């Protein structure tokens, strides 16, 4: 894969973060003042929370906290539950409230062998459910929090990257072949979260690629400019500075850096593929962010005691969430303006659609549809191939007998050619472009 690398500068670090929810979630390894503790906390990081312990924690929080609700939103191939936690100020937020206010969706452990994000999510759910301080209540009054605590339960049970079929869920956010990706697509369609925060882990390559936490925004060129800017701000002015203030090192995901100068050496990951969640989020007009904590033990203490390594991984995830919540509290108006404007811009049906490239890798002429058709016509066979997936994405379709017509003039304008144009690497089916609407 080719990269024409350039350094991306996203501005200076902000000054001290204001005290809105900046007390943040309690450290994962500290005892919660109220509510159940995770298996990870009970063992002081010696082991990860089991599925049974997760279910007990969520069920108890659902019973005891009026502001939280746990919904079963799907099942894996092996029958494990896929769950959505909804958290509001006085009661769980409805889909309508989420759609019409500031909101964040936390996606935890899409890769089953990357458990630290799941631990951070579980303790955060607990802390938000049981918090009694005014700052948390004010935060939740203005921001709805959605959490998928374990996005890949079968993979977590087996400690594998993929699901029970070996599929990498984070490469399935366009095709939607897996139950897990289909469930996430349905949540994003129904709730339209303004921010999608995706928690992962990575293996280090010292000395070029070994920071405690890496982050990356949507690089896909179909991401609206204002949404792209807010995602960059979330990463570079909130998440990374807060993590560094907590004593951890940070970097940009996918970029090797010279250990002496800090200058970029090469890009090894983090491109603009639309099928990856942080990019899918941008194409769907949400502020997406990927965060990755380092699994590799580098200090002697971490090598001697895996619990030390585990605690560092979870604590750095929690520090990243603290920065994200500060972003949501301080930039609520800007976030909502960016995402709403991006959705409305689709109705104008103007501008190119990009089939390749990234914000640091300009698209070639062949990767740009400079003058997109006004829509795509699907015959009966093509609609049978792609109809369910179009509905899960939230693409608006006009039925025409056994087939359908899909106009570009809609909020998900840029997504339509990615799914239906034969030139797209991720097309669901090949539909016929039409210039007559």
């Amino acid at each position: 894969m080719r990269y024409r690398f350039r350094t991306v500068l996203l501005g200076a670090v902000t000054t001290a973060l204001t005290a809105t929810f900046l007390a943040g979630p309690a450290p994962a390894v500290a005892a919660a003042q109220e509510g159940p503790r995770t298996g990870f906390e009970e063992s002081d990081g010696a082991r990860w929370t089991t599925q049974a312990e997760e279910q007990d924690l969520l069920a108890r929080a659902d019973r005891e906290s009026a502001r939280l609700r746990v919904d079963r939103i799907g099942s894996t191939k092996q029958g494990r539950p896929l769950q959505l936690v909804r958290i509001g100020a006085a009661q769980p937020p409805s889909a309508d409230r989420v759609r019409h206010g500031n909101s964040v969706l936390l996606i935890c452990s899409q890769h089953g062998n990357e458990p630290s994000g799941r631990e951070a999510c579980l303790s955060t759910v607990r802390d938000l459910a049981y918090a009694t301080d005014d700052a948390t209540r004010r935060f939740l009054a203005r921001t709805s929090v959605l959490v998928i605590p374990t996005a890949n339960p079968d993979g977590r049970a087996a400690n594998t990257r993929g699901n029970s079929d070996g599929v990498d869920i984070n490469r399935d956010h366009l095709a939607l072949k897996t139950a897990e990706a289909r469930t996430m697509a349905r949540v994003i369609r129904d709730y339209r979260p303004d921010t999608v925060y995706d928690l992962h882990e990575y293996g280090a390559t010292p000395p070029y690629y070994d920071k405690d936490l890496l982050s990356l925004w949507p690089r896909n060129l179909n991401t609206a400019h204002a949404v792209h800017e807010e995602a960059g701000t979330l990463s570079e002015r909130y998440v990374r500075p807060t993590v560094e203030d907590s004593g951890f090192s940070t970097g940009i995901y996918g970029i090797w850096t010279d250990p002496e100068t800090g200058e970029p050496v090469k890009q090894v990951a983090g491109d603009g593929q639309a099928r990856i969640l942080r990019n899918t989020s941008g194409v769907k007009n949400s502020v997406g962010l990927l965060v990755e904590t380092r699994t590799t033990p580098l200090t002697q203490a971490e090598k001697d005691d895996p619990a030390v390594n585990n605690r560092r991984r979870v604590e750095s995830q929690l520090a990243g969430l603290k920065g994200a919540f500060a972003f949501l509290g301080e930039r609520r108006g800007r976030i909502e303006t960016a995402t709403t404007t991006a959705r409305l811009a689709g109705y104008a049906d103007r501008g190119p659609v990009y089939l390749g490239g990234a914000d640091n890798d300009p698209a070639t002429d062949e990767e740009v549809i400079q003058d997109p058709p006004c829509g795509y016509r699907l015959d009966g066979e093509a609609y049978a191939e792609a109809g369910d997936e179009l509905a899960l994405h939230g693409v608006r379709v006009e039925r025409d007998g056994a087939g359908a017509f899909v106009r570009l003039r809609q909020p998900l304008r840029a997504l339509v050619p990615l799914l239906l144009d034969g030139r797209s690497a991720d097309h669901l089916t090949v539909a016929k472009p039409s210039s007559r609407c």
Side-chain angles (χ1 to χ4, degrees), residues 157-226:
N159 196 35
T160 58
R161 178 180 176 89
N163 67 1
S164 57
D165 287 325
V167 177
D168 185 338
I169 297 167
N170 201 29
R171 301 298 183 272
D172 188 38
H173 291 287
L174 289 188
L176 303 183
K177 294 183 181 298
T178 63
E180 296 87 353
R182 293 172 76 87
T183 299
M184 284 182 267
R186 191 180 300 114
V187 169
I188 292 171
R189 178 197 67 188
D190 293 347
Y191 289 90
R192 288 204 313 263
D194 292 296
T195 301
V196 178
Y197 190 91
D198 187 22
L199 295 83
H200 285 258
E201 298 196 83
Y202 80 102
T205 306
Y208 304 103
Y209 198 52
D210 56 3
K211 305 300 183 184
D212 294 319
L213 182 141
L214 307 173
S215 59
L216 189 62
W217 50 91
R219 288 198 184 276
N220 189 278
L221 294 173
N222 294 301
T223 305
H225 175 73

Side-chain angles (χ1 to χ4, degrees), residues 24-43:
V29 293
Q33 293 183 352
E34 293 185 74
R37 301 183 74 203
T38 67
F40 179 85
E41 292 169 328
E42 291 285 358
S43 67

Side-chain angles (χ1 to χ4, degrees), residues 196-267:
V196 178
Y197 190 91
D198 187 22
L199 295 83
H200 285 258
E201 298 196 83
Y202 80 102
T205 306
Y208 304 103
Y209 198 52
D210 56 3
K211 305 300 183 184
D212 294 319
L213 182 141
L214 307 173
S215 59
L216 189 62
W217 50 91
R219 288 198 184 276
N220 189 278
L221 294 173
N222 294 301
T223 305
H225 175 73
V227 171
H228 181 269
E229 289 295 300
E230 287 303 315
T233 297
L234 169 58
S235 171
E236 302 302 280
R237 294 173 57 187
Y238 283 87
V239 169
R240 288 184 58 194
T242 306
V243 171
E244 290 172 1
D245 287 346
S246 299
F248 302 105
S249 59
T250 72
I252 296 176
Y253 178 71
I255 304 297
W256 283 22
T257 57
D258 186 302
E260 295 184 1
T261 66
E263 292 299 312
V265 174
K266 65 176 178 178
Q267 184 167 337

Side-chain angles (χ1 to χ4, degrees), residues 78-208:
Q78 295 181 346
R80 293 185 175 87
L82 294 164
Q83 294 169 297
L84 176 70
V85 182
R86 296 178 286 129
I87 309 172
Q91 60 185 9
S94 65
D96 185 67
R97 177 175 176 80
V98 175
R99 286 195 299 267
H100 292 92
N102 190 34
S103 57
V104 61
L105 170 63
L106 308 182
I107 303 287
C108 319
S109 293
Q110 280 199 77
H111 294 145
N113 59 351
E114 299 172 7
S116 74
R118 171 177 175 262
E119 297 295 344
C121 287
L122 288 173
S123 59
T124 296
V125 164
R126 186 266 323 284
D127 292 344
L128 291 174
Y130 290 90
T132 58
D133 60 287
D134 291 338
T136 301
R137 291 178 177 179
R138 285 195 300 271
F139 174 80
L140 292 174
R142 298 176 176 179
T143 302
S144 298
V145 178
L146 307 176
V147 185
I148 298 179
T150 307
N152 181 7
D154 290 352
R156 176 79 290 271
N159 196 35
T160 58
R161 178 180 176 89
N163 67 1
S164 57
D165 287 325
V167 177
D168 185 338
I169 297 167
N170 201 29
R171 301 298 183 272
D172 188 38
H173 291 287
L174 289 188
L176 303 183
K177 294 183 181 298
T178 63
E180 296 87 353
R182 293 172 76 87
T183 299
M184 284 182 267
R186 191 180 300 114
V187 169
I188 292 171
R189 178 197 67 188
D190 293 347
Y191 289 90
R192 288 204 313 263
D194 292 296
T195 301
V196 178
Y197 190 91
D198 187 22
L199 295 83
H200 285 258
E201 298 196 83
Y202 80 102
T205 306
Y208 304 103

